[in-house]
Amino acid sequence: VMALMPAGVVLDYYVYPSKMGLFLALRLVCVLLALVVWWFVRAPISKRFHRLLGLFVALLPVSFICWMIYETEDPTSPYYAGLNLSLLAIAFIMRWSADLSVIASVLTLAMYLSACLSLGPISEVQRGVFANNIYFLVLTSIIVVVGSRLHRLLRIREFELRYELDKNRKALEGSNQKLLELDQV
């Protein structure tokens, strides 16, 4: 968030040059909020709120991207792709449980829909691109949720296998010890 949000100013320069100042300000506010959360995460009290803080961190750029989409007054804004990147960050960086992934995906879709639909009805010309954006956001969300579920199952299986390996290693050490004792006798 702290590195990629400000880097988006390059995109703003080419896609929405008239909004560049506003978007830079929004991006910097997002970074400042991320810094506050990062500072709070290091505090001992944050351990009680780790799931909520993780959700907040993930949805922070989503909310600012949706704000930028709203400011463009264009439901077909290519900035929806940033929402896909945010969802992928949830899948590959956050490594959440499926329930948190579902919550983040639903909230991302809800924020995108509210940013677009609060501008008024979608025109006939915009309808196809808007449907495309929704389609790919939904598919990305499904991939994130399924990936989160599969990752958790793999981690559980890895834990079980390590437990079995450790148990077998201890049994083997015990057997070796008995053999050494028999050998000495």
Side-chain angles (χ1 to χ4, degrees):
V1 172
M2 289 183 267
L4 297 179
M5 277 303 278
V9 76
V10 174
L11 184 64
D12 300 337
Y13 176 78
Y14 289 105
V15 180
Y16 295 108
S18 64
K19 304 269 185 191
M20 201 170 137
L22 172 63
F23 287 0
L24 177 61
L26 291 174
R27 291 175 184 283
L28 292 176
V29 168
C30 182
V31 168
L32 288 174
L33 289 173
L35 281 169
V36 168
V37 172
W38 182 67
W39 174 80
F40 187 70
V41 164
R42 305 181 115 230
I45 193 169
S46 70
K47 288 184 171 102
R48 286 196 278 159
F49 306 105
H50 70 279
R51 286 174 55 98
L52 184 61
L53 283 171
L55 191 59
F56 185 76
V57 166
L59 293 178
L60 191 59
V62 167
S63 61
F64 278 87
I65 292 168
C66 288
W67 189 349
M68 290 186 279
I69 290 170
Y70 174 79
E71 288 294 330
T72 65
E73 299 178 5
D74 183 9
T76 63
S77 170
Y79 282 20
Y80 96 96
L83 302 176
N84 280 319
L85 291 176
S86 296
L87 288 170
L88 290 175
I90 290 168
F92 296 113
I93 295 172
M94 303 301 253
R95 293 291 189 188
W96 282 344
S97 60
D99 63 333
L100 271 179
S101 296
V102 167
I103 292 168
S105 296
V106 168
L107 289 173
T108 298
L109 285 166
M111 283 190 268
Y112 176 68
L113 287 172
S114 66
C116 293
L117 297 178
S118 64
L119 298 169
I122 308 294
S123 72
E124 189 72 32
V125 175
Q126 296 171 326
R127 202 167 287 150
V129 174
F130 179 68
N132 173 76
N133 295 356
I134 295 294
Y135 175 78
F136 281 105
L137 283 172
V138 168
L139 287 183
T140 305
S141 295
I142 291 169
I143 291 167
V144 166
V145 171
V146 170
S148 295
R149 177 74 178 135
L150 291 175
H151 181 260
R152 181 169 169 76
L153 290 174
L154 286 172
R155 296 277 306 205
I156 290 170
R157 182 68 182 139
E158 179 186 6
F159 176 80
E160 290 170 345
L161 289 173
R162 285 181 186 265
Y163 177 78
E164 282 295 316
L165 184 64
D166 191 51
K167 191 169 80 173
N168 290 338
R169 183 186 55 77
K170 287 178 182 175
L172 186 60
E173 286 174 358
S175 296
N176 282 342
Q177 184 62 34
K178 287 179 185 174
L179 283 173
L180 285 173
E181 290 171 3
L182 283 173
D183 198 35
Q184 287 176 353
V185 167

